[in-house]
Amino acid sequence: MIQGSIVAIVTPMLPNGDIDFEAFDRLLEWHIESGTDAVVVVGTTGESPTLTMEEHCAVIARAVKTVAGRIPVIAGTGSNSTTEAIYYTHAAKEEGADACLLVTPYYNKPPQEGLYQHFKKIAEEVDIPQILYNVPSRTGCDLLPETVSRLADIKNIVGIKEATGDLDRGQQVISLCGDRIAIYSGDDATALDLILAGGKGNISVTANVAAKLCSEFQEAALSKNNSNLLAKAKQINDKLLPLHKSLFIESSPSPVKYAASLLNLSSDDVRLPLVKVTEETKKIIKSA
């Protein structure tokens, strides 16, 4: 089982908009050295909506080659087209990814039965571990706990990134199917509470710039029966909260790319329709 600190990694860009693969390599090495447990590439934080199909697959291939089996590589392969999601998932398997992360179909607003059939079809078509991703604030589509429970019976659906930020929702999903699939937080600010309720880790934006702290936090939080480690987890969580909040003042990943640029990890360049953060936001991020 993949668990712990899982970074939803940015895709570094050059000023002309091309992908900066050399910076991407350095970033992956930094995460491995910092104790990150797994990496999600070409997710929302990786600006997947603005990558071409060729770039999408190239980033997955580069991550697999650079990481070279040292930590799991999870490829973002979701789409609002079931056919396209199957294509990306096939490609990720062929490139050697360890698992895939599949966001709910955005904009279409399918009913729960449509969501069930969508994920079931992808799982049947491609034999690779698959993690569902529910983030209704961005997709306009909510994968309900009862539907997650149905999907948990499919053998290669192994987890869900629950990014509602609603702890009651997260606990409900854990109660219904936490014995069959792994439930990951997709919300840095509430990750500790979800892990203490039975979650297996956090797919994190903040880990892009606080990799070592996030790794230490996850290790401590997952040791729930050790009071000293739990106190350490709470201490780190309190320290990280201002950073968590600052990275979502504007649409992600613009804030985290600016934060990464402060550490010389990546440029703050993003692709349209996203733009760089404002000067006021820069001050808040820099302070955090």
Side-chain angles (χ1 to χ4, degrees), residues 213-228:
L213 269 181
C214 286
S215 174
E216 292 174 353
F217 163 66
Q218 287 297 320
E219 184 179 6
L222 287 165
S223 303
K224 293 187 282 286
N225 295 325
N226 186 313
S227 58
N228 289 333

Side-chain angles (χ1 to χ4, degrees), residues 25-243:
D25 289 343
R26 292 193 300 270
L27 199 53
L28 289 166
E29 293 292 347
W30 180 73
H31 276 288
I32 293 168
E33 292 167 7
S34 300
T36 297
D37 294 298
V39 57
V40 171
V41 298
V42 287
T44 308
T45 311
E47 294 179 78
S48 58
T50 61
L51 300 187
T52 66
M53 296 183 85
E54 293 76 14
E55 287 173 330
H56 194 112
C57 296
V59 171
I60 297 169
R62 187 65 168 245
V64 170
K65 181 181 178 181
T66 301
V67 169
R70 289 174 288 175
I71 59 175
V73 173
I74 304 165
T77 59
S79 173
N80 62 341
S81 160
T82 306
T83 301
E84 186 174 278
I86 291 169
Y87 172 86
Y88 279 134
T89 306
H90 266 301
K93 182 181 179 181
E94 290 173 4
E95 296 295 355
D98 297 284
C100 292
L101 180 71
L102 291 135
V103 72
T104 52
Y106 40 86
Y107 191 77
N108 299 352
K109 304 184 81 170
Q112 294 302 303
E113 183 61 26
L115 290 171
Y116 174 76
Q117 295 294 340
H118 169 81
F119 288 118
K120 179 174 179 284
K121 178 74 171 174
I122 300 165
E124 289 172 344
E125 290 285 333
V126 192
D127 186 17
I128 188 173
Q130 297 175 22
I131 300 169
L132 312 174
Y133 178 16
N134 190 38
V135 57
S137 64
R138 292 195 77 137
T139 62
C141 175
D142 192 2
L143 184 64
L144 297 180
E146 295 78 12
T147 308
V148 178
S149 184
R150 291 177 68 195
L151 289 164
D153 287 332
I154 299 171
K155 68 177 180 67
N156 56 327
I157 293 179
V158 299
I160 180 170
K161 177 183 177 182
E162 183 55 60
T164 59
D166 181 343
L167 290 173
D168 288 339
R169 165 63 67 86
Q171 289 169 347
Q172 188 178 0
V173 174
I174 290 169
S175 175
L176 283 172
C177 50
D179 58 337
R180 288 174 286 154
I181 61 172
I183 288 81
Y184 305 101
S185 173
D187 178 63
D188 282 299
T190 59
L192 177 59
D193 290 323
L194 188 70
I195 291 165
L196 295 180
K200 300 302 181 184
N202 184 30
I203 299 177
S204 169
V205 172
T206 302
N208 277 284
V209 292
K212 192 170 189 299
L213 269 181
C214 286
S215 174
E216 292 174 353
F217 163 66
Q218 287 297 320
E219 184 179 6
L222 287 165
S223 303
K224 293 187 282 286
N225 295 325
N226 186 313
S227 58
N228 289 333
L229 287 175
L230 180 56
K232 179 182 178 181
K234 290 178 177 177
Q235 182 181 32
I236 296 173
N237 189 56
D238 289 343
K239 185 175 185 178
L240 287 173
L241 275 174
L243 183 57

Side-chain angles (χ1 to χ4, degrees), residues 10 12 20 22-24 26-27 30 208-209 256-268:
V10 298
D20 187 346
E22 291 184 4
F24 188 53
R26 292 193 300 270
L27 199 53
W30 180 73
N208 277 284
V209 292
V256 74
K257 276 199 156 181
Y258 173 69
S261 74
L262 294 175
L263 301 175
N264 295 318
L265 295 171
S266 170
S267 75
D268 63 346

